[in-house]
């Protein structure tokens, strides 16, 4: 990609493509400019571009976009790219995201004017589009939502705003553009896990937490921003305001499995509680934490063509919301007990999710990448996970061979367990499914509210429908 840096730390305030110090790296965490830091002896213009006799961008879409935005900015008396023009034309649906992205590019360019020069804008866009490392991508977005007066630290409000834009973009490209009533509770589980009793934490600490628990959420937003910057000029050339990509409503493979219990209360319609898997925002959070095998994106097909358009293909990749999750077992409906659990869960091939609730208001989740079976051995392939969902959201274990289910084999522990160390299980449900140990602390098992099947076998779906009918 020409002079595009492959890491955030390579990118300074807009150095020339043939500058002598392109390969010098910054520290990565010392300041906002450290993301794309580069040592350079070249002079800079007030608008943030390095002074060069000639600069030719390697990305034609960015070159076209910069010329269009410059022309619109000139009408407001700005000889460059004005922030309000960039936001209103490129990110009209996500104003806060657009403002923060422009501010990041402005800071990295070290411009002394309120606007960005055309060359500086091109340089920063190229470098932003050239970031390939997942960790560096994450750091860019964490810094975008850091404190304005202290860019090395992030507070709870900043993380909440980042989560909100991740959720909003995911919903608007998944066929569920609604606000989940449980969204504040979902966001709170994340901020409690990150901050504990602190009000602010360093950018580096927050980055590490997201890397370990929720990196896919931020990567999805980056996909949207990259696509938007690369294609916005098309709509603007036609004198139309850019939307980044056309928002469409994909065809769900089945009825929305994540309705809220009071979703249609205003209209007098009732929602069957037994058909509700979990709050939509919690399903979205899980899709960002678990491996993709659990959250197969919805199929987006064109009703008028055999092949999907480029926009439709992108939307399919952008959406993480699962449309194929199916309820296998709910102790509130089917009864709590080992026999009831085995009857409804055993024999279903494919990934499953088990939600465990305790009477002291804690929620855990066991993710199994393949079917459950009774054995005295620990099983589970890649993708086996144990998470705490409430009151804090955190991945507790993510390794193969951590799942255990035995209710009949003598001489071995009985019950449902999850842990890499058999002597210290993270989750241990007793053989009667009455009590549970969570990280060594005894608790009363309130319910196994959901066992969710994440497979997509047509024959298994027929079997499920037959079982429900009888």
């Amino acid at each position: 990609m020409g002079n595009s840096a492959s890491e955030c730390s390579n990118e300074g305030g807009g150095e020339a493509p043939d500058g002598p110090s392109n390969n010098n790296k910054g520290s990565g965490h010392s300041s906002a400019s450290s993301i794309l830091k580069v040592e350079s002896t070249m002079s800079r213009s007030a608008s943030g571009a390095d002074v060069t006799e000639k600069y030719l961008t390697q990305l034609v879409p960015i070159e076209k976009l910069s010329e269009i935005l410059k022309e619109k900015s000139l009408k407001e008396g700005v000889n460059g790219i004005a922030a309000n023009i960039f936001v209103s034309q490129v990110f009209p649906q996500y104003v806060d995201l657009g403002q923060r992205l422009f501010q990041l590019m402005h800071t990295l360019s070290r411009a002394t004017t309120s606007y960005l020069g055309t060359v500086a804008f091109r340089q920063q866009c190229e470098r932003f589009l050239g970031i390939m490392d997942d960790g560096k991508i994450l750091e860019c977005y964490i810094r975008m939502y850091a404190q304005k007066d202290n860019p090395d630290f992030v507070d709870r409000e900043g993380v909440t705003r980042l989560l909100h834009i991740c959720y909003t973009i995911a919903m608007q490209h998944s066929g569920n553009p609604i606000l989940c009533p449980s969204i504040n509770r979902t966001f709170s589980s994340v901020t409690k896990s990150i901050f504990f009793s602190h009000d602010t934490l360093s950018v580096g600490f927050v980055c590490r937490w997201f890397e370990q628990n929720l990196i896919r959420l931020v990567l999805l937003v980056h996909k949207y921003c990259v696509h938007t910057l690369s294609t916005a000029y098309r709509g603007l050339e036609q004198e139309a305001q850019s939307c980044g990509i056309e928002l469409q409503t994909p065809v769900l493979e089945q009825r929305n499995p994540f309705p809220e219990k009071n979703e249609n209360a205003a209209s007098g319609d009732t929602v069957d509680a037994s058909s509700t898997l979990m709050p939509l925002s919690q399903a979205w959070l899980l899709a960002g934490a678990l491996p993709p095998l659990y959250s197969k994106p919805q199929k987006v097909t064109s009703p008028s063509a055999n092949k999907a358009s480029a926009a439709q293909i992108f939307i399919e990749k952008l959406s993480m919301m699962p449309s194929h999750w199916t309820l296998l077992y709910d102790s509130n409906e089917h009864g709590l007990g080992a026999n009831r659990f085995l009857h409804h869960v055993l024999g279903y091939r494919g990934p499953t999710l088990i939600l465990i609730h305790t009477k002291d208001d804690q929620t855990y989740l066991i993710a199994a990448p393949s079917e459950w079976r009774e054995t005295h051995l620990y099983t589970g392939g890649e993708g086996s996970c144990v998470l705490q969902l409430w009151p804090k959201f955190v991945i507790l274990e993510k390794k193969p061979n951590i799942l255990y289910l035995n209710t009949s084999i003598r001489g071995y522990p009985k019950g449902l367990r999850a842990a890499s160390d058999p002597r210290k299980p993270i989750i241990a449900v007793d053989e009667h499914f009455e009590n549970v140990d969570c990280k060594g602390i005894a608790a009363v098992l309130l319910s196994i509210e959901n066992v969710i099947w994440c497979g997509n076998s047509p024959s298994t779906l027929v079997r499920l429908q037959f079982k429900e009918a009888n």
Side-chain angles (χ1 to χ4, degrees):
M1 193 172 287
N3 61 310
S4 298
S6 62
E7 296 182 350
C8 277
S9 57
N10 254 7
E11 303 183 18
E15 73 283 358
D18 298 322
S21 47
N22 257 6
N23 294 325
N24 293 339
K25 295 184 178 182
S27 60
H29 294 284
S30 58
S31 67
S33 61
S34 68
I35 305 174
L36 312 176
K37 188 177 180 181
V38 67
E39 298 297 333
S40 177
T41 58
M42 301 181 67
S43 60
R44 308 178 69 82
S45 67
S47 60
D50 290 312
V51 176
T52 59
E53 293 183 0
K54 184 178 181 181
Y55 181 87
L56 189 62
T57 183
Q58 303 297 315
L59 298 178
V60 174
I62 296 302
E63 184 177 5
K64 290 183 177 180
L65 177 62
S66 64
E67 293 300 325
I68 294 172
L69 296 180
K70 179 182 179 181
E71 182 179 348
K72 292 182 179 294
S73 297
L74 280 173
K75 295 179 180 179
E76 297 190 2
V78 176
N79 186 22
I81 312 297
N84 65 311
I85 295 297
F86 173 79
V87 174
S88 64
Q89 300 300 314
V90 184
F91 289 93
Q93 293 181 316
Y94 309 112
V95 173
D96 183 61
L97 176 63
Q99 290 173 341
R100 291 175 185 273
L101 177 56
F102 186 89
Q103 182 59 46
L104 178 69
M105 293 192 293
H106 186 276
T107 300
L108 296 176
S109 69
R110 301 198 294 275
T112 58
T113 58
S114 60
Y115 60 89
L116 273 175
T118 307
V119 174
F121 176 79
R122 293 175 185 173
Q123 291 173 340
Q124 293 304 319
C125 283
E126 266 195 43
R127 286 163 175 75
F128 182 79
L129 297 179
I131 304 170
M132 300 299 178
D133 182 77
D134 289 351
K136 297 299 182 181
I137 291 172
L138 177 61
E139 184 182 349
C140 285
Y141 285 87
I142 297 297
R143 287 196 180 278
M144 283 169 59
Y145 286 83
Q147 295 179 316
K148 290 184 179 180
D149 56 345
N150 196 356
D152 288 334
F153 288 84
V154 187
D155 55 25
R156 292 173 183 264
E157 181 183 358
V159 171
T160 301
R161 286 181 176 271
L162 176 59
L163 291 172
H164 189 271
I165 190 63
C166 291
Y167 176 81
T168 302
I169 290 178
M171 290 303 101
Q172 291 191 337
H173 298 87
S174 68
N176 294 295
I178 60 174
L179 182 63
C180 174
S182 302
I183 192 169
N184 290 333
R185 177 182 169 94
T186 300
F187 289 172
S188 176
S189 68
V190 174
T191 55
K192 285 178 181 178
S193 181
I194 297 175
F195 290 95
F196 301 100
S197 59
H198 299 278
D199 294 325
T200 62
L201 288 170
S202 69
V203 166
F205 181 90
V206 177
C207 284
R208 287 190 293 274
W209 188 94
F210 271 88
E211 282 180 339
Q212 296 168 4
N213 297 279
L214 286 174
I215 192 170
R216 292 183 64 213
L217 295 185
V218 177
L219 296 182
L220 178 129
V221 175
H222 186 64
K223 289 180 182 179
Y224 176 83
C225 290
V226 168
H227 183 87
T228 299
L229 288 174
S230 302
T231 61
Y233 76 94
R234 297 173 185 170
L236 295 177
E237 283 180 337
Q238 301 172 3
E239 299 297 327
Q241 214 173 35
S242 170
C243 294
I245 62 176
E246 181 182 356
L247 298 182
Q248 301 180 21
T249 302
V251 179
L252 292 175
E253 297 172 12
Q254 61 184 47
R255 183 176 56 83
N256 176 19
F258 308 105
E260 292 297 328
K261 295 181 181 180
N262 60 347
E263 181 178 327
N264 298 319
S267 62
D269 298 332
T270 58
V271 176
D272 182 7
S274 65
S275 65
T276 302
L277 297 184
M278 64 179 69
L280 183 61
S281 57
Q282 191 176 70
W284 159 78
L285 202 62
L286 282 175
L290 295 171
L293 67 96
Y294 294 97
S295 55
K296 169 181 163 288
Q298 300 168 128
K299 296 179 180 178
V300 181
T301 58
S302 172
S304 58
N306 293 327
K307 294 184 178 180
S309 65
Q312 288 173 323
I313 293 174
F314 179 77
I315 292 173
E316 182 175 354
K317 292 182 178 180
L318 191 68
S319 172
M320 291 193 307
M321 287 306 301
S323 61
H324 62 295
W325 285 6
T326 305
L327 181 66
L328 291 180
Y329 169 73
D330 183 344
S331 62
N332 294 321
E333 178 186 358
H334 303 116
L336 181 61
N339 290 335
R340 304 305 299 160
F341 176 86
L342 297 177
H343 172 73
H344 287 277
V345 175
L346 294 187
Y348 289 97
R349 296 181 179 180
T352 53
L353 306 175
I354 300 177
L355 276 75
I356 298 174
H357 300 272
T358 66
K359 283 193 174 180
D360 57 349
D361 196 25
Q362 296 192 63
T363 304
Y364 294 87
L365 180 137
I366 300 174
S370 55
E371 67 178 301
W372 284 92
R373 65 179 188 273
E374 285 204 82
T375 175
H376 65 288
L377 302 174
Y378 277 78
T379 62
E382 292 292 335
S384 302
C385 301
V386 185
L387 300 86
Q388 182 176 10
L389 302 186
W390 181 259
K392 297 187 294 186
F393 184 94
V394 61
I395 296 178
L396 302 174
E397 193 94 71
K398 191 176 181 180
K399 295 179 180 179
N401 300 321
I402 62 173
L403 309 177
Y404 179 90
L405 176 62
N406 174 34
T407 62
S408 59
I409 303 175
R410 296 181 180 179
Y412 294 92
K414 293 184 178 180
L416 174 67
R417 295 189 171 196
S420 58
D421 186 352
R423 297 167 297 180
K424 297 179 180 179
I426 296 176
I427 299 292
V429 180
D430 70 350
E431 60 179 310
H432 304 294
F433 278 53
E434 294 176 351
N435 299 297
V436 58
D437 281 358
C438 303
K439 296 183 292 185
I441 301 176
V444 177
L445 182 61
L446 179 63
S447 66
I448 298 181
E449 186 168 306
N450 291 311
V451 176
I452 302 168
W453 180 60
C454 306
N456 60 356
S457 168
S459 61
T460 305
L461 285 172
V462 172
R463 176 185 169 191
L464 264 174
Q465 294 170 356
F466 178 79
K467 178 181 286 189
E468 292 174 355
N470 293 274

